[in-house]
Amino acid sequence: MKELVELIVKSLVDHPEEVSVTEAIKDNEHVISVSVASDDMGKVIGKQGRIAKAIRTVVKAAAIKSDIQVTVEIMQ
């Protein structure tokens, strides 16, 4: 899942070298944290959070196939 999120986010931003994606497992749930440059934050979140919601939807759909629970957090 980490690779999927990283691929999506890097294709959206202007500074892909500053994208950092980490994955941790908390209480049988995978938590993926995404950190981007401050200039690119708006591109990842989108207007009214639409792009962030779309990223979460795609990741959750992929997680269902793997039978795991995934949460995507966007950090500054």
Side-chain angles (χ1 to χ4, degrees):
M1 294 300 132
K2 176 184 171 184
E3 294 82 13
L4 175 63
V5 174
E6 190 170 3
L7 176 71
I8 293 170
V9 173
K10 282 188 176 183
S11 65
L12 291 172
V13 299
D14 289 333
H15 305 286
E17 66 278 354
E18 294 187 36
V19 172
S20 172
V21 180
T22 58
E23 184 174 15
I25 300 173
K26 295 180 184 175
D27 298 329
N28 205 19
E29 181 177 1
H30 294 252
V31 178
I32 299 174
S33 300
V34 179
S35 178
V36 297
S38 59
D39 295 345
D40 293 329
M41 187 61 71
K43 292 181 180 185
V44 174
I45 295 174
K47 290 184 180 180
Q48 298 178 353
R50 288 186 179 145
I51 294 176
K53 185 177 179 182
I55 292 170
R56 290 183 179 114
T57 302
V58 169
V59 172
K60 285 186 182 190
I64 289 173
K65 284 187 118 179
S66 302
D67 197 29
I68 59 175
Q69 292 183 334
V70 178
T71 302
V72 178
E73 298 176 347
I74 299 172
M75 310 280 213
Q76 219 176 17

